[in-house]
Amino acid sequence: MPWIYAIVGLLVGAILGIVISRLTTPQYKKQKTIQKDLESAKFALEQQRQELSDHFAQTAEMLDTLGKDYTKLYQHMAKTSSELLPNLPEQDNPFVKKIAEHNVDIPHNDSTDEPPKDYVSGATGLLREEKKLVIDAPQVISSDTSAIKVS
């Protein structure tokens, strides 16, 4: 039974020795200071990222406002040039041409019903084992021209 007390005392002494040595060693203190520096650097980096994000959002808003103001100014100049110089031919008025160019709407192709046109016949299927036939460009061109000749 006394040997059990000796083993328990030895374990308690070893644990206390490890704890005391860790608290008094300079590497442990250095590790704690480095950990604090790391956390403060992470916080500063996150704060800088947030400031940068806010800056870009504000800049985008300002650029949008600037674009709208330039458009208003240009429309005002076009309107006043035609009002103040009514006898000026259209080809001599630089604002009329530009306004006509800016007012032209670009048609958008919103047909999402058609699949994209690639040169693979059939569905490829990434998870399937079967291989699909890939048509080379000369074959496609020759098949298109033969279809034209037949019609």
Side-chain angles (χ1 to χ4, degrees):
M1 193 72 151
W3 57 274
I4 293 178
Y5 292 128
I7 291 176
V8 171
L10 183 65
L11 288 175
V12 170
I15 292 173
L16 284 175
I18 291 172
V19 169
I20 290 172
S21 68
R22 268 196 69 97
L23 292 177
T24 58
T25 58
Q27 285 114 5
Y28 182 73
K29 292 177 184 176
K30 186 177 178 182
Q31 181 184 3
K32 285 292 186 184
T33 58
I34 290 174
Q35 184 70 26
K36 287 180 185 178
D37 291 344
L38 177 65
E39 288 174 4
S40 65
K42 283 182 180 179
F43 178 74
L45 179 65
E46 189 59 37
Q47 188 175 8
Q48 186 178 17
R49 283 183 182 165
Q50 184 62 39
E51 289 174 2
L52 191 61
S53 175
D54 293 343
H55 168 74
F56 282 135
Q58 184 181 11
T59 304
E61 187 176 309
M62 291 169 74
L63 284 173
D64 186 46
T65 304
L66 182 67
K68 288 178 183 176
D69 289 343
Y70 272 124
T71 304
K72 283 182 188 178
L73 175 67
Y74 202 84
Q75 289 173 349
H76 171 72
M77 291 297 288
K79 179 182 173 188
T80 55
S81 69
S82 63
E83 288 175 0
L84 295 175
L85 300 170
N87 297 331
L88 186 67
E90 281 191 21
Q91 67 267 11
D92 291 340
N93 191 347
F95 295 108
V96 174
K97 273 193 262 181
K98 296 292 182 181
I99 290 293
E101 289 174 8
H102 287 294
N103 288 339
V104 173
D105 290 334
I106 300 170
H108 295 288
N109 189 4
D110 291 335
S111 71
T112 56
D113 297 336
E114 295 182 24
K117 295 181 180 178
D118 55 1
Y119 295 103
V120 177
S121 59
T124 56
L126 293 175
L127 301 177
R128 294 185 188 167
E129 297 272 336
E130 63 187 64
K131 301 219 178 203
K132 296 296 178 181
L133 175 67
V134 177
I135 302 173
D136 292 327
Q139 292 175 347
V140 173
I141 293 171
S142 65
S143 67
D144 288 344
T145 55
S146 64
I148 293 172
K149 289 177 186 176
V150 173
S151 323

